[in-house]
Amino acid sequence: MLVAATDTTSATSVWAMTTLIKNPRVMRKVQEEIWNTGVKKGFLGEDDIQNFPYLKAVIKETLRLYLPAPLLVPRESREKCIISGYDIPAKTIVYVNAWAIQRDRNVWKNSEEFYPERFLESSINFIGQDFELIPFGAGRRICPGMSMAVASLELILANLLNSFDWKLPHGSVKEDIDTEMLPGITQHKKNPLCLVANIHI
Ligand code: HEM
């Protein structure tokens, strides 16, 4: 429970900041959304976040490209079945490659591009009904912590982006920030993300 909750949420927060710093257009747009709502208070709460549709789209797009559990959790088939003409015997271990599904260029336009706008006009959601976006899995064993994960990610990112103006360390360019991953069940960034936080007044 602890690993499923904390490791995934922290990995996703780092991926979100990584991809935002590599995409200054999106970073600017999401910060303008937060800064221009007139909310000046120090800490943003869940009510404030309901006014940030672009931030929600940024989180969805992060979970599309950098889902922390790329192969979800292994399953075992209970009985023999046929999928797309292939015979699957009972008791076969099944891995769902959600990573490949969520980057499938037959499904997603410019699938490798970080483009949160794709979710603004679309009803696609990660709640297990749209099989092209399943970072939390689907069906009866879908992640039971999904609501808490989304609420946490929204609070973490909204407050990081509201309070600070994020910059690359002196002398670095966005191309220096890599997206290499560590091996493991949860997909973490291999090299630590190092950014400069300037307090936003
Ligand atoms: C970005 C954050 C998270 C992601 C992407 C995520 C993703 C997943 C995935 C893909 C599974 C497997 C689902 C399946 O078998 O189809 C899972 C299971 C699970 N998750 Fe999450 N999770 C996240 C956050 C959380 C949080 C915050 C909690 C608890 C508060 C949590 C608790 C669990 C538990 C207990 C399971 C195992 C459920 C079972 O045994 O059936 N997760 N999660």
Side-chain angles (χ1 to χ4, degrees):
M1 184 72 176
L2 285 174
V3 172
T6 54
D7 214 28
T8 47
T9 308
S10 73
T12 309
S13 306
V14 172
W15 285 121
M17 292 304 291
T18 303
T19 190
L20 283 172
I21 205 75
K22 287 179 78 60
N23 291 274
R25 178 194 71 83
V26 179
M27 174 72 100
R28 216 166 22 252
K29 192 166 167 180
V30 70
Q31 287 197 303
E32 275 167 12
E33 178 181 74
I34 296 170
W35 290 342
N36 291 345
T37 46
V39 191
K40 291 273 186 280
K41 59 182 160 186
F43 188 82
L44 299 178
E46 286 175 66
D47 290 344
D48 303 309
I49 286 155
Q50 303 323 311
N51 301 317
F52 304 149
Y54 194 65
L55 172 70
K56 287 172 183 273
V58 164
I59 292 172
K60 269 191 193 171
E61 184 71 332
T62 304
L63 285 169
R64 183 181 74 82
L65 286 172
Y66 301 103
L67 64 170
L71 298 177
L72 307 182
V73 169
R75 307 297 181 91
E76 186 185 272
S77 58
R78 271 193 308 202
E79 50 196 55
K80 193 175 135 203
C81 61
I82 299 174
I83 300 178
S84 302
Y86 292 92
D87 288 318
I88 315 289
K91 301 193 93 45
T92 303
I93 301 283
V94 179
Y95 290 90
V96 177
N97 191 346
W99 167 273
I101 293 170
Q102 297 189 173
R103 288 177 180 240
D104 186 345
R105 59 177 70 119
N106 296 319
V107 174
W108 300 95
K109 197 174 164 203
N110 300 327
S111 60
E112 298 291 323
E113 191 187 336
F114 183 71
Y115 187 66
E117 283 78 359
R118 71 176 83 240
F119 290 112
L120 291 179
E121 302 298 326
S122 149
S123 61
I124 292 180
N125 209 338
F126 42 52
I127 55 173
Q129 304 291 317
D130 303 302
F131 295 140
E132 59 271 59
L133 188 70
I134 47 169
F136 296 99
R140 277 179 287 179
R141 284 202 80 171
I142 192 170
C143 172
M146 179 169 55
S147 306
M148 182 176 161
V150 175
S152 306
L153 287 170
E154 288 174 352
L155 284 171
I156 293 166
L157 291 169
N159 282 291
L160 285 178
L161 296 169
N162 184 42
S163 302
F164 302 102
D165 199 3
W166 295 90
K167 297 272 180 270
L168 289 162
H170 186 66
S172 318
V173 290
K174 62 184 167 59
E175 289 71 22
D176 296 335
I177 307 287
D178 68 86
T179 52
E180 279 192 65
M181 289 143 198
L182 281 176
I185 297 174
T186 307
Q187 180 172 255
H188 282 277
K189 189 174 179 329
K190 181 176 172 191
N191 300 307
L193 179 66
C194 182
L195 301 179
V196 178
N198 296 302
I199 290 179
H200 175 70
I201 302 159

